[in-house]
Amino acid sequence: MTNVEKLKQYIPMVHFIADIMGGNCEVVLHDVTNPDHSIIEIVNGHVSGRKVNCPITDLALKILKEESYKDRDYICNYKSNSKKNKMLRSSSYFIKDETNKIIGMICVNMDISDVINARNILDQFIMIDKPTNDPVESSKPIFDTHLFENFEENIEELLLSLIKGVLAEYDIPPERMSPQEKIEVVKKLNEKGAFLLKGGVSEVAKYLDVSEATIYRYLNKIK
């Protein structure tokens, strides 16, 4: 049985979860062995604006690159954003093969933007008489603050988001960067899994104003 055949067995589970959670909950089945077109089933795709054959996310790429799935079966309650800038509460279950290698993911993305807006309205009233030194000030955070995820509809947008995110950490434009600084950029993008995507090398080369051969040379130095 191929990986795709194995993953398709989870399609009823995707619909089962979506039917339980309702229309504000997007449920996605990913084939992570095909990151460029990883989505093989999606319900309530209007939540993130994605559909079947859309690419993997930036967080999933990072998980693949770091192999952080090996010592856990899932991650829960991390923050993500839709293309319409709505806040989502996300969780992902890792589907692994017999060798403990990840082949797929079931991701659940709940649109909680309306809930947060309602809470903010209530807080305006609740906070009126609330003491500033209230001992019951905090509880367990809703989100795992170490994780964050963005959703993109195609590979080009995903690569652009990764590249611009890394370049934003520098105060100088790519054409003025030293070779060492460009190597650092390539290293950071490699850690984010950018080169697992088709066209990753050529796109990064274009933004760093170097040849593809130079990017491959940088990657060899990093390794």
Side-chain angles (χ1 to χ4, degrees):
M1 184 181 292
T2 65
N3 285 342
V4 173
E5 290 172 334
K6 291 177 183 176
L7 291 171
K8 284 185 176 180
Q9 295 181 93
Y10 288 87
I11 288 178
M13 179 65 70
V14 169
H15 289 266
F16 173 65
I17 296 171
D19 283 349
I20 292 174
M21 300 303 294
N24 283 338
C25 181
E26 176 188 80
V27 188
V28 191
L29 178 62
H30 286 281
D31 174 7
V32 302
T33 66
N34 183 20
D36 295 346
H37 306 283
S38 69
I39 297 181
I40 60 177
E41 184 70 337
I42 183 169
V43 183
N44 297 325
H46 63 272
V47 171
S48 71
R50 295 175 299 166
K51 57 188 177 181
V52 170
N53 287 327
C54 277
I56 205 167
T57 66
D58 50 358
L59 177 60
L61 280 174
K62 192 170 185 290
I63 289 169
L64 289 178
K65 191 65 184 178
E66 295 177 348
E67 297 186 335
S68 54
Y69 60 83
K70 287 189 172 181
D71 58 353
R72 58 173 69 181
D73 294 320
Y74 55 84
I75 50 176
C76 284
N77 302 325
Y78 54 88
K79 188 186 298 184
S80 52
N81 271 345
S82 72
K83 293 294 288 182
K84 295 180 180 179
N85 208 31
K86 288 189 174 182
M87 185 177 293
L88 311 180
R89 179 176 180 176
S90 299
S91 298
S92 295
Y93 176 81
F94 305 142
I95 302 172
K96 306 176 188 178
D97 63 15
E98 303 78 13
T99 64
N100 199 40
K101 185 173 182 179
I102 190 171
I103 60 171
M105 298 170 66
I106 294 179
C107 301
V108 180
N109 306 305
M110 175 67 75
D111 181 353
I112 60 170
S113 54
D114 289 341
V115 176
I116 290 173
N117 289 337
R119 184 189 66 181
N120 290 339
I121 292 171
L122 289 171
D123 281 348
Q124 291 178 26
F125 293 95
I126 296 170
M127 292 294 287
I128 290 175
D129 296 319
K130 185 177 179 182
T132 56
N133 59 346
D134 188 348
V136 193
E137 176 66 36
S138 62
S139 58
K140 184 178 179 181
I142 295 176
F143 295 109
D144 182 337
T145 55
H146 295 94
L147 301 173
F148 187 81
E149 186 172 34
N150 287 302
F151 301 118
E152 306 296 348
E153 297 180 38
N154 53 61
I155 309 171
E156 292 76 17
E157 288 183 357
L158 178 55
L159 276 170
L160 185 61
S161 174
L162 291 170
I163 294 168
K164 286 190 173 182
V166 170
L167 291 179
E169 299 176 17
Y170 295 83
D171 295 328
I172 56 174
E175 59 270 19
R176 291 176 51 197
M177 285 182 174
S178 68
Q180 186 56 44
E181 286 170 327
K182 291 183 179 182
I183 290 174
E184 288 176 5
V185 170
V186 170
K187 182 174 185 294
K188 290 178 180 179
L189 286 170
N190 185 51
E191 290 170 351
K192 291 179 179 292
F195 301 109
L196 295 175
L197 297 169
K198 183 179 180 181
V201 169
S202 60
E203 198 67 16
V204 173
K206 182 176 74 175
Y207 272 87
L208 289 184
D209 195 26
V210 297
S211 67
E212 292 184 23
T214 299
I215 298 297
Y216 283 115
R217 189 166 68 251
Y218 290 167
L219 286 170
N220 286 331
K221 285 185 178 181
I222 293 166
K223 295 174 183 178

